[in-house]
Amino acid sequence: MKSAESEQYELVIVSNRLPVDHVSGEGDDAVWRTSPGGLVAALEPVMRERDGVWIGWPGMPDVHFEPFEADGIDLIPVPLSAEEVEDYYEGFSNDTLWPLYHDVISPPSYHREWWEAYQRVNRRFADAAIEVAAPNAIVWVHDYQLQLVPKMLRDARPDLIIGFFNHIPFPPYGIYSQLPWRRQIVDGLLGADVVGFQRVADAGNFARAVRRLHGFETRGNIINVPLEDGQLEQTVRHRATGRRGHPIRTVLARPFPISIDAQEYQKLAADPQIRARAREIREELGNPRVLMLGVDRLDYTKGIRHRMKAFGELLEDGAFTSEEVALVQVASPSRERVDAYAQLRDEVEIMVSRINGDFSQLGHPGIHYLHQGYPREEMVALYLAADVMLVTALRDGMNLVAKEYVASRTDQDGVLILSEFAGASDELRQALLVNPHDIDGLKSAIVHAIRMPQRERTRRMRALRKRVLSHDVQRWSATFLDALTREDHNDPANHLDIPKRTVAPLGYGD
């Protein structure tokens, strides 16, 4: 770590969590382990290249850590009290914003004390970045927990180059308008030079919210933000003159679909031990003719109950037996202190028990339900073992599991059933695209996947792999940073590169 006298960084990453998990120890004796995830893989090389630092919460309440280094990356922990974790994180972030931004699948809760904690914690993150950012540094803020930070940075340090990326959906205005603090959130995001989203629709929803709340002019991906008199004397990037001659600052709001470290998944899929483990998994499950797989956080947005309902009805219809087709559902624990998540767990486990009680055969349960997380190596083995991958999210910013499955299938086999409400569906057009609310349509897709000829499976998987391998997480971060550092938001390089072709929901005719 740099000395206190020289803590100035050219690149500052700000996210709710640090990219490490605490293993043991305190103070200088603390032991940390790098968290799994594509974001770390994407940003680690550029952080080393650009002299970067990562600011985030270390994951434990009421614990203070001094800045430290882990795996060659400088880290600055932001402390949170147990009350702030409850109000800012579990409350406003995950019981207000999360359900609101996911189409109110679960009703959001609005509490003023949560909002006050959200403001207070966002200020703490912003102050930490302001303190260590070098003149004209790049500050890249991540996700819905920190939407007020860009404006706080802009107000204090107009010299900074500020980016924000929203990893979850941004809702239509009819839903977003329910938020009592809708203006403050939009103002917070408009402090950035570039606001990134997962999908074209998300960027469009944000632009419409800006127009409805402020009446600012928008042109395609560009939002014209009028400059106030006090801002005219400051150094402001992307300064221009608006339609009526008033000075403005332009904000680029466009999609940057996130991805995975595809090469890492390919490498793991080629490992002989992992391939042997995939064969072992099928044997442990009784060598079913078809193995189906679902991998999700246990979250109400993931459509777990919908896929189980479809699977149970197919067993009831006699489309197949539990001996012929098995479903493995990995549901890693998530936010279990939030009431909606505890209720969801009860509902899912009741469904599993009912379906297995009604349709299992001796030694062949229909659903193998695993309420735990697994290391990446075991997940790749599951991906290799599975004939069909079920991604039935009711609303999802992207869903990287779909891309992980595709990257792992180096054998060019396997079928991906993918919700059209997941951001990944914009890119992975050769999947079987479904509306998970349409149980009959979902059942038809499952039957089609089971019966799909080898030639069609190979053709579809080859096209899916081409997309995932050519648009990996390193390309995502490079594209975002390139757009962020360009002086002209109208630069043609800021084009959107996702497939434009439209297909029928199930894609059967591809």
Side-chain angles (χ1 to χ4, degrees):
M1 192 79 184
K2 295 182 177 185
S3 65
E5 293 77 18
S6 61
E7 286 185 354
Q8 296 285 292
Y9 295 88
E10 302 298 329
L11 173 65
V12 180
I13 304 297
V14 187
S15 67
N16 177 64
R17 284 293 302 271
L18 286 173
V20 292
D21 296 318
H22 182 256
V23 177
S24 62
E26 299 179 4
D28 294 337
D29 297 325
V31 177
W32 301 86
R33 178 179 57 239
T34 301
S35 306
L39 188 60
V40 181
L43 298 180
E44 183 177 351
V46 72
M47 288 185 70
R48 297 183 192 279
E49 176 186 341
R50 299 194 185 212
D51 186 26
V53 67
W54 197 308
I55 295 172
W57 176 47
M60 295 170 292
D62 295 317
V63 177
H64 178 81
F65 290 98
E66 293 296 327
F68 64 97
E69 181 182 300
D71 291 335
I73 299 178
D74 287 349
L75 304 171
I76 297 179
V78 174
L80 297 180
S81 68
E83 183 180 3
E84 286 170 337
V85 171
E86 183 177 349
D87 291 347
Y88 146 78
Y89 181 68
E90 294 174 351
F92 195 80
S93 294
N94 291 326
D95 210 9
T96 299
L97 293 177
W98 179 270
L100 181 74
Y101 281 32
H102 287 85
D103 292 354
V104 295
I105 294 169
S106 177
S109 299
Y110 304 112
H111 298 291
R112 283 171 289 183
E113 61 270 25
W114 289 1
W115 165 244
E116 290 165 2
Y118 187 80
Q119 295 177 87
R120 187 168 62 251
V121 172
N122 271 243
R123 169 59 64 187
R124 191 174 308 151
F125 276 84
D127 288 345
I130 290 165
E131 184 176 348
V132 299
N136 304 305
I138 296 171
V139 182
W140 190 359
V141 185
H142 287 268
D143 225 357
Y144 64 104
Q145 301 97 342
L146 302 174
Q147 293 176 104
L148 303 180
V149 171
K151 184 177 188 300
M152 293 173 176
L153 297 173
R154 174 73 55 200
D155 290 343
R157 292 281 303 277
D159 62 296
L160 297 175
I161 303 169
I162 305 166
F164 182 91
F165 185 76
N166 199 53
H167 291 255
I168 68 173
F170 194 90
Y173 185 74
I175 292 176
Y176 180 75
S177 62
Q178 298 177 27
L179 183 66
W181 308 279
R182 58 196 183 187
R183 284 180 177 269
Q184 293 95 318
I185 295 291
V186 164
D187 288 346
L189 294 173
L190 288 175
D193 294 293
V194 175
V195 185
F197 299 93
Q198 299 280 25
R199 309 184 76 170
V200 173
D202 298 328
N205 288 340
F206 176 68
R208 280 187 284 277
V210 171
R211 291 196 298 270
R212 291 290 297 272
L213 292 171
H214 290 301
F216 295 165
E217 179 187 2
T218 63
R219 297 174 292 111
N221 294 326
I222 298 173
I223 299 171
N224 292 340
V225 180
L227 289 173
E228 300 174 3
D229 291 342
Q231 296 173 313
L232 298 181
E233 298 177 0
Q234 299 174 332
T235 303
V236 179
R237 301 178 80 248
H238 305 117
R239 181 169 169 173
T241 302
R243 183 178 293 172
R244 297 180 180 147
H246 192 282
I248 60 170
R249 180 176 62 85
T250 60
V251 175
L252 178 67
R254 54 150 280 198
F256 297 85
I258 199 170
S259 193
I260 61 170
D261 187 354
Q263 292 301 324
E264 175 65 17
Y265 280 89
Q266 282 211 128
K267 179 181 175 182
L268 290 171
D271 187 317
Q273 290 185 320
I274 292 178
R275 299 186 73 83
R277 174 58 184 151
R279 294 189 293 271
E280 186 179 73
I281 287 171
R282 292 191 70 101
E283 292 172 3
E284 291 174 355
L285 296 173
N287 284 313
R289 180 169 61 85
V290 176
L291 176 58
M292 307 179 69
L293 176 65
V295 176
D296 311 89
R297 284 189 309 104
L298 188 55
D299 191 292
Y300 49 76
T301 65
K302 301 300 183 181
I304 298 172
R305 289 169 294 188
H306 296 66
R307 84 180 60 139
M308 287 186 175
K309 181 175 178 59
F311 184 77
E313 288 190 9
L314 286 168
L315 287 170
E316 185 176 12
D317 296 343
F320 47 73
T321 68
S322 62
E323 185 176 5
E324 295 171 317
V325 179
L327 169 60
V328 173
Q329 176 62 58
V330 177
S332 57
S334 175
R335 303 169 186 163
E336 296 192 308
R337 292 179 19 160
V338 178
D339 289 343
Y341 289 80
Q343 179 181 342
L344 173 66
R345 178 178 179 178
D346 290 343
E347 292 174 359
V348 168
E349 292 179 354
I350 289 171
M351 287 190 75
V352 171
S353 297
R354 183 187 62 78
I355 291 170
N356 283 344
D358 290 346
F359 304 110
S360 292
Q361 300 181 18
L362 194 60
H364 297 281
I367 301 175
H368 302 261
Y369 175 71
L370 306 168
H371 181 57
Q372 53 193 290
Y374 290 92
R376 184 179 295 182
E377 291 78 8
E378 182 73 359
M379 294 312 306
V380 172
L382 280 166
Y383 293 149
L384 289 170
D387 302 292
V388 179
M389 184 80 214
L390 285 165
V391 177
T392 57
L394 307 180
R395 193 76 164 94
D396 217 336
M398 178 53 62
N399 194 286
L400 296 180
V401 165
K403 295 187 176 184
E404 291 171 3
Y405 178 71
V406 169
S408 300
R409 297 310 301 237
T410 55
D411 57 359
Q412 311 288 343
D413 204 354
V415 181
L416 173 62
I417 295 177
L418 177 60
S419 168
E420 62 191 52
F421 304 122
S425 67
D426 287 349
E427 301 175 88
L428 304 183
R429 308 302 297 180
Q430 290 294 327
L432 297 184
L433 301 182
V434 297
N435 174 359
H437 298 283
D438 177 8
I439 301 300
D440 287 336
L442 182 52
K443 290 165 62 178
S444 296
I446 291 172
V447 171
H448 180 65
I450 290 172
R451 298 175 179 174
M452 187 181 293
Q454 174 69 55
R455 184 174 179 179
E456 183 181 356
R457 296 201 306 267
T458 300
R459 176 176 62 82
R460 286 177 178 271
M461 185 55 68
R462 186 178 290 121
L464 292 171
R465 285 178 52 76
K466 181 179 179 181
R467 177 69 191 184
V468 171
L469 294 175
S470 62
H471 292 72
D472 61 9
V473 73
Q474 287 80 16
R475 175 167 174 167
W476 167 79
S477 62
T479 301
F480 188 96
L481 288 170
D482 180 66
L484 185 57
T485 53
R486 287 181 179 272
E487 290 294 333
D488 184 5
H489 279 156
N490 292 294
D491 194 305
N494 281 327
H495 71 285
L496 176 61
D497 181 21
I498 63 171
K500 300 292 197 299
R501 186 171 58 84
T502 301
V503 299
L506 284 174
Y508 289 166
D510 290 354

